[in-house]
Amino acid sequence: MLPNPSYCKNSPKSQALTVLGFSKIRTVWPQSSYYTSFVHNHHVHFSRNSIKLAYKGASFMTAEGISTAMFSISQPDLLANSTRKYTMYCHITGAGTNSRDFQWSPFPTEMTGVSVIVPSPSGSKLLIVRNGEKGCPTKLEIVDQSHVAKEIHLGQSLHGPLYTDEWFHGISWNQEETLITYIAEAPPQPRPVFSDSGYRKGDSSDEDYNTWKGQGDWEEDWGERYSKKGRPSLFVLDIASGEVRAAEGIATSLSVGQVVWAPPSSSGSQKYLVFVGWLEHNGFHNTARKLGIKYCSNRPCALYAIASPFERPETDNKPVCDGKSDSAASARNLTASISSAFFPRFSQDGKILLFLSAKQAVNSGAHNATDSLHKMNWPSDWKMDKELHVTEVVPIVMCPEDGCFPGLYCSSILSNPWLSDGCTMILTSAWRSTEVILSIDVLSGKVTRITPEDSHYSWSALTIDGDNVLAVSSSPIDPPHIRYGRQVTPERQARRWTWDEVDSPLMTASDKVKSLLSHHSVTILQIPVTNASGDLSDGGKLPFEAIFVSYKDSSHSPTVVILHGGPHSVSVSSYVKSSAFLASLGFNLLIVNYRGTPGFGEEALQSLPGKVGSQDVQDCLTAIDHVINEKLIDASKVAVVGISHGGFLTTHLIGQAPDRFIVGAARNPVCNLALMIGTTDIPDWCYIVACGTEAKQYASESPSPDHLRLFYEKSPIAHISKVKAPLLMLLGGADLRVPVSNGLQYARALRERGGQVKIMMFPEDIHEIIIPRSDFESFLNIGVWFKTHLK
């Protein structure tokens, strides 16, 4: 299902970039009467110390104690219905002092046709990737500080476009800056050729007017976002020769991603690659089906190692992926003892390999769950036949004590997350209804929250600068600000982190936006659980939370209840353009993190599977009752909106509590699980949410009549006869997660019963509805719909 943008396991991941890494943030500048939105996604890369800095004109200089940040900025172009990409630089001076100066380039530079930019470890070179479209070659450019040093054109016969998404993506320079490894689409399988006389034996690379290519065998894909994309495969580029080789010894049943270079061996004789591999046999009863992987961290995966194709000995061994072979020519499973391993990161000295695990999600079936952090000691003389022992660094937190660390919930790890001591890593994680930055001592396992505790702001680490952290903070009513974190030791006080605000042209919101949100305030509310059932664990009985954004005298203003998807995702207290837009129209916002939301401990999260349509619905009603009883809102002016599972809750609420909501809006909602089970890319999700985690044992592509009946009873369509509120339905025509038939069936049935429903269809869009014009039009219409019915 679709999580809230704030947290999801497949949200933007770290690239293997320079000495330091990247992250992603979003901001909006509404303008005009309906506030045209401009969304800026910022990726930041760092290079540091005694480096050459390229300045305007072709001049260069070498500077000690200067860090240079390169920001990659994307901005939707509504007129062209596409996304523009820019780069912008910031030079940071004053290393080792308490006063730092940030000098920004005067203007961003547009990078037309660029898919991704990856600096080398020293910062002296760039890899620029220009993915080919519609069968055109992919271009790789190696850029020195004054010119393009090499340009490599790669045709479809070698591989397709590079993966630059947030899950399979992986691009990594080796330390010598002579080789680059990356993930790209495997070349397409040969297709049969036909003429008007029938099948013509053999494949033909050239079509003439008398022949055409047929379809060939259908191949499974990884579902939503990955339809029509080739199998993720591993390649290595030799920069000097321009030669590209595919990694050998990896079975075709394995999809790969997140590749990094292992540290050079002490003998220097062998170079290894470490990557994440997902076996395609993850369908029901271990059948060969690729269940949807987007937003789904419960797909089994492991870390594998393989020799570089430019280094491997000439052997004739067959590829294996089970870790049982000691052949240097075959991929070796490094984490066979654990069901999930991803985001591999080597320590700066190369002695430790760290990784995250979603083993709790894999083992329970929940599509997201609490993460754990693990490590392996990496010998300097490691060979493929040597076993590595996995040690847990940060365990799963089941039931956190009040105010204490609730567990890890990470959507990414920086490409280089290490402070200079080599044993402290920096992570961004959900912590109840906020996002925080953590430091983790990987030797002791100690976890420390380094961002302010007395704040309703959410924080995200962008990259590391020595012992300092470049980050971004925001709240639902305060657009993002760049912050620079450093450790200080006040007199007679313990060492602590302080966060300086950075004056940045990237974050300059217009005065109009600030004035539109100046009358709002933010509170995070603790909502006690009412009527807790006897079978609940202790964590399932703990209070959940809601973020309340109040407008002026909130008790007289209409309120919009906002519900995240997942259901195992979280709405954190960060700036989100669509929510800010609704707030700017004069609405209160009640953003509910019902039980099942990550960030509150594993027991609370696991309390929801098997109880959707009841426990989560009751939590939403309890949160509304709470703000009514506190006299914070007007009970007669309440609207509700949600996407995916949030749409599931929206349509449940207007059916189960028809007199409590004036109006509703749902984006790609789940309305009928019995219909969804046979059309979605994640049929296992239907079983888990409706039947509980034990459903893994009997889930099937052909559900029994009893299961179909249960799916229907758990669905909003079972309550459709009671709906009174007008409903706006927004649907993506290319949605593979919750296919359009789900929303259309509900809307047509509602209309059949005399209900008021408006349908908006975005034929080319997917589950998220992310094409620039679709995104703009959808939240614009939600605002107009609510304004019309909440007068």
Side-chain angles (χ1 to χ4, degrees), residues 245-571:
R245 294 184 186 178
E248 299 176 1
I250 301 175
T252 56
S253 61
L254 197 70
S255 292
V256 305
Q258 303 176 19
V259 61
V260 297
W261 288 95
S265 63
S266 55
S267 64
S269 59
Q270 195 75 53
K271 293 183 173 65
Y272 293 105
L273 300 166
V274 174
F275 61 90
V276 182
W278 293 264
L279 281 168
E280 69 173 32
H281 288 71
N282 66 358
F284 297 135
H285 309 296
N286 202 34
T287 54
R289 174 171 180 180
K290 296 176 182 175
L291 294 172
I293 201 169
K294 182 73 175 175
Y295 315 119
C296 300
S297 63
N298 62 330
R299 305 300 175 222
C301 57
L303 297 188
Y304 294 83
I306 197 167
S308 165
F310 287 98
E311 300 289 333
R312 67 157 70 264
E314 294 296 327
T315 64
D316 214 10
N317 293 310
K318 296 180 180 179
V320 296
C321 295
D322 59 6
K324 297 178 181 178
S325 170
D326 60 0
S327 164
S330 301
R332 180 175 183 83
N333 188 335
L334 302 176
T335 56
S337 63
I338 191 169
S339 59
S340 171
F342 53 94
F343 296 155
R345 298 290 184 269
F346 282 96
S347 59
Q348 291 176 323
D349 61 9
K351 295 181 179 179
I352 299 175
L353 174 57
L354 266 289
F355 63 91
L356 274 180
S357 175
K359 62 179 182 180
Q360 190 67 20
V362 173
N363 298 341
S364 69
H367 278 63
N368 281 312
T370 312
D371 295 325
S372 50
L373 184 67
H374 303 259
K375 68 179 180 180
M376 295 182 285
N377 292 326
W378 190 271
S380 60
D381 60 348
W382 185 79
K383 300 294 183 184
M384 294 282 277
D385 59 348
K386 289 190 176 181
E387 295 286 344
L388 297 174
H389 178 66
V390 176
T391 303
E392 191 171 61
V393 177
V394 179
I396 293 164
V397 175
M398 298 303 293
C399 183
E401 297 182 12
D402 187 33
C404 295
F405 172 58
L408 286 178
Y409 305 91
C410 302
S411 60
S412 66
I413 295 183
L414 299 175
S415 60
N416 188 339
W418 303 98
L419 297 184
S420 63
D421 62 8
C423 64
T424 303
M425 71 185 309
I426 300 297
L427 293 178
T428 300
S429 179
W431 184 306
R432 302 183 70 83
S433 294
T434 62
E435 198 166 36
V436 303
I437 302 176
L438 305 173
S439 72
I440 300 177
D441 185 324
V442 301
L443 301 181
S444 68
K446 181 181 178 181
V447 179
T448 305
R449 177 175 175 172
I450 65 173
T451 45
E453 297 184 17
D454 56 344
S455 170
H456 58 255
Y457 279 67
S458 278
W459 295 71
S460 180
L462 294 176
T463 193
I464 312 297
D465 182 21
D467 279 325
N468 306 314
V469 179
L470 191 68
V472 64
S473 68
S474 69
S475 83
I477 60 172
D478 193 2
H481 301 271
I482 291 182
R483 307 277 185 168
Y484 194 82
R486 51 192 174 86
Q487 298 182 70
V488 297
T489 309
E491 187 175 355
R492 298 194 183 95
Q493 296 184 35
R495 194 168 179 81
R496 61 180 177 82
W497 284 81
T498 185
W499 296 90
D500 303 323
E501 184 168 345
V502 177
D503 186 15
S504 163
L506 297 175
M507 303 301 167
T508 305
S510 68
D511 291 338
K512 186 172 184 179
V513 170
K514 291 182 178 180
S515 66
L516 287 168
L517 300 175
S518 62
H519 298 292
H520 292 75
S521 59
V522 177
T523 309
I524 297 179
L525 306 173
Q526 299 277 318
I527 313 294
V529 173
T530 59
N531 302 318
S533 61
D535 63 342
L536 280 176
S537 61
D538 290 341
K541 299 174 184 177
L542 294 176
F544 58 98
E545 290 184 347
I547 303 167
F548 184 56
V549 180
S550 57
Y551 176 69
K552 292 184 177 178
D553 183 359
S554 63
S555 62
H556 293 92
S557 302
T559 299
V560 176
V561 179
I562 298 177
L563 304 172
H564 66 70
H568 306 304
S569 65
V570 57
S571 294

Side-chain angles (χ1 to χ4, degrees), residues 15 17 22-29 38-45 69-77 82-90 104-117 462 480 482 504-508:
Q15 302 178 20
L17 296 172
F22 94 41
S23 187
K24 188 169 187 176
I25 55 177
R26 295 179 177 178
T27 133
V28 57
W29 286 261
F38 296 93
V39 187
H40 292 252
N41 299 322
H42 302 279
H43 304 169
V44 60
H45 318 301
M70 183 181 74
F71 288 80
S72 178
I73 311 162
S74 63
Q75 175 184 347
D77 182 345
S82 61
T83 301
R84 289 174 170 163
K85 295 184 179 180
Y86 306 85
T87 58
M88 197 167 187
Y89 289 85
C90 177
W104 295 85
S105 52
F107 300 103
T109 302
E110 185 165 5
M111 306 297 287
T112 305
V114 173
S115 302
V116 67
I117 303 172
L462 294 176
I482 291 182
S504 163
L506 297 175
M507 303 301 167
T508 305

